[in-house]
Amino acid sequence: MDFFNHVQGRLMAEQTDVAQLAEQFGTPLFIYSRATLERHYHAYANAMPNRDLMICYAVKANSNIAVLNLLARLGAGFDIVSGGELERVLLAGASPSRIVFSGVGKTESEIERALQIGIHCFNVESPSELHQIAAIAERLNTQAPISIRVNPNVDPKTHPYISTGLKQNKFGIKMTDAPDLYRFAHQHQHLNPLGIDCHIGSQLTDDGPLLDALDILIDQIDTLASEGISLKHVDLGGGLGVPYIDEQPPSPAQFMARVDERLGDRNVSLVLEPGRSIAANAGILVTKLLHLKQGEDRKFAIIDAAMNDLLRPALYQAEQKVVPVVEQDRDTYTADLVGPICETGDFIAKGRTINTAVGEFLAIRSSGAYGFTMSSNYNSRPRAAELMIDGDKAYVIRQRESLSDLVRGESLLP
Ligand code: LLP
């Protein structure tokens, strides 16, 4: 549930009129709802009262420091995948002891920085990374907390580009390698094997595959325990889907009850790394209709948001709801909603029935996750502004880029 609703035909972000925001701040414009973000975080944080739980929001979904700061204030931890994300969460007030560091290609300097500030855990993605972390920890005369990200080879049944837990994917360490790596870490003075993790994919509308993966992780936990290696946490990654159109994913509470039941009386805490299910439906992308054009074959509604602002439709054939910002009582037409970028792949939605006139605004719903963070300057388009709504107040949390931002850092030859 989110706080973007039409009231008397006008789309409101909480108690704020979206059309007025679009007039004032220009389009394309990302608008986030504080109340929605908080509600989605609490849906996780309050779902498991009887087990230690750490909700590490996946920063990649939406990394604006105001978003991160709101979540940090609620006590969230963070799942990061780069030194850049690490600095962002620190700027936003995150507690280092609630940071987990994922990613297949951590660099020497990223590992060093994370060790120096004392993160909760490295989610280790290859045997060579484990050895590298051990060597850096030894050099710094410290101990690195680690979790092995295993590849459980389960099919998450989602788009192939966001499937990560199959054996043909680059992620994780194959199950058969894990026990020896844990034994190595257990004996190593500078490694502390704290947990086990996986992340099998994103936008999962059925939690069956996640629970299958959990069973595999539990098996590993039990085997290691019988050897005297007791892991403290299991981290199932992110992945719970959201309703973009009419999907019906399980709620965090439903999913976590099933996880809790499977973990039973094992003394392990749970870490989750949700991104999309916290941020996606907490944001909209507002765009203006620039032109209507009747082609030979179909009609095109040319809008001022493009694939550089919202890449998901072009990259994953993703579908998101598009609604008028101010509802009108007039005839509808069917059109492809396309952006100004010079690529046939630049579309936001195809074959949608709308009745918007040129100059009016549309809102692309569910754009709070993997929207701005995947945006670019392609075609030298400044990146959009981002607003956070809190009740009837609007805060600019990122200014629209200027034309001089576009060439910042570039220089002419002498
Ligand atoms: N943890 C790890 C290690 C991940 O790789 C991801 C997402 C997450 C957590 C968060 O997953 P979520 O709860 O958001 O599903 N750009 C794509 C999604 C890519 C997801 C990448 N990894 C999209 O727009 O659909």
Side-chain angles (χ1 to χ4, degrees):
M1 213 204 87
D2 61 58
F3 293 90
F4 295 99
N5 294 301
H6 283 90
V7 178
Q8 289 165 356
R10 298 183 72 86
L11 183 61
M12 304 294 287
E14 301 190 14
Q15 282 88 59
T16 309
D17 186 273
V18 170
Q20 280 174 16
L21 295 172
E23 294 289 358
Q24 185 181 348
F25 296 99
T27 52
L29 177 67
F30 283 95
I31 301 179
Y32 310 129
S33 150
R34 175 180 187 166
T36 312
L37 281 167
E38 295 189 342
R39 180 191 169 92
H40 291 170
Y41 173 75
H42 284 131
Y44 279 96
N46 299 337
M48 204 179 243
N50 299 319
R51 187 181 294 277
D52 264 1
L53 174 67
M54 191 156 79
I55 301 303
C56 293
Y57 167 71
V59 173
K60 62 174 81 66
N62 185 324
S63 58
N64 185 291
I65 58 172
V67 171
L68 303 177
N69 172 255
L70 277 187
L71 295 169
R73 288 193 218 179
L74 301 180
F78 295 95
D79 167 52
I80 59 162
V81 291
S82 70
E85 288 190 350
L86 178 57
E87 298 311 324
R88 275 183 180 277
V89 296
L90 293 176
L91 266 175
S95 150
S97 66
R98 297 177 80 73
I99 296 172
V100 297
F101 196 163
S102 304
V104 292
K106 304 176 190 74
T107 66
E108 176 109 4
S109 61
E110 288 172 333
I111 294 169
E112 194 170 307
R113 173 87 169 126
L115 272 173
Q116 278 162 343
I117 65 161
I119 64 163
H120 179 69
C121 192
F122 290 91
N123 289 345
V124 179
E125 299 244 14
S126 58
S128 57
E129 183 194 329
L130 185 67
H131 288 99
Q132 184 185 23
I133 292 173
I136 299 173
E138 186 164 358
R139 172 160 56 72
L140 298 179
N141 194 25
T142 183
Q143 200 181 43
I146 62 105
S147 161
I148 304 277
R149 174 173 179 179
V150 293
N151 181 322
N153 191 27
V154 295
D155 184 355
K157 303 198 173 69
T158 184
H159 190 279
Y161 289 5
I162 52 178
S163 292
T164 47
L166 283 166
K167 63 182 180 200
Q168 61 267 36
N169 301 140
K170 70 178 174 183
F171 299 97
I173 291 177
K174 59 179 190 281
M175 286 306 307
T176 47
D177 282 351
D180 276 347
L181 293 173
Y182 276 113
R183 287 176 200 125
F184 167 77
H186 182 61
Q187 279 158 17
H188 200 292
Q189 222 187 320
H190 295 279
L191 293 175
N192 175 15
L194 209 58
I196 185 166
D197 69 286
C198 69
H199 168 79
I200 61 168
S202 198
Q203 184 52 13
L204 312 189
T205 49
D206 169 11
D207 60 6
L210 280 164
L211 297 170
D212 291 346
L214 173 62
D215 286 340
I216 294 171
L217 268 56
I218 288 177
D219 226 42
Q220 187 63 233
I221 290 174
D222 290 348
T223 310
L224 292 168
S226 70
E227 294 182 25
I229 303 175
S230 64
L231 300 182
K232 305 278 184 300
H233 76 241
V234 55
D235 174 353
L236 284 175
L240 271 197
V242 301
Y244 279 107
I245 303 287
D246 54 9
E247 300 90 334
Q248 292 184 313
S251 69
Q254 290 167 329
F255 165 59
M256 288 162 72
R258 292 172 197 138
V259 171
D260 195 49
E261 192 186 323
R262 279 182 156 73
L263 288 174
D265 57 11
R266 291 175 188 81
N267 186 21
V268 287
S269 60
L270 180 69
V271 178
L272 294 175
E273 304 167 358
R276 189 191 313 269
S277 48
I278 289 182
N281 285 322
I284 58 173
L285 173 59
V286 183
T287 180
K288 186 191 262 184
L289 179 53
L290 300 177
H291 298 283
L292 277 172
K293 175 162 85 173
Q294 181 60 56
E296 189 86 37
D297 179 53
R298 62 185 69 197
K299 198 174 185 107
F300 297 100
I302 300 162
I303 56 179
D304 67 358
M307 66 190 288
N308 75 299
D309 303 298
L310 184 69
L311 186 58
R312 303 192 67 258
L315 192 57
Y316 316 112
Q317 299 77 50
E319 295 196 38
Q320 296 181 206
K321 277 189 189 154
V322 181
V323 297
V325 169
V326 179
E327 289 171 344
Q328 305 290 346
D329 189 15
R330 60 165 97 94
D331 288 350
T332 59
Y333 58 88
T334 298
D336 285 3
L337 274 57
V338 299
I341 282 184
C342 303
E343 296 243 9
T344 298
D346 178 28
F347 59 89
I348 294 293
K350 289 192 168 169
R352 296 296 174 94
T353 302
I354 55 176
N355 67 0
T356 309
V358 167
E360 292 177 357
F361 300 117
L362 289 156
I364 305 153
R365 298 187 65 109
S366 313
S367 298
Y370 307 112
F372 187 89
T373 49
M374 295 180 77
S375 69
S376 76
N377 290 124
Y378 189 39
N379 278 206
S380 286
R381 289 167 51 87
R383 280 182 296 171
E386 294 175 286
L387 301 184
M388 178 75 74
I389 303 305
D390 184 4
D392 59 2
K393 295 195 181 58
Y395 299 94
V396 178
I397 58 169
R398 194 175 204 274
Q399 290 176 3
R400 184 175 304 285
E401 285 180 343
S402 65
L403 295 174
S404 58
D405 287 333
L406 288 178
V407 289
R408 187 153 50 96
E410 296 182 24
S411 50
L412 303 176
L413 291 185

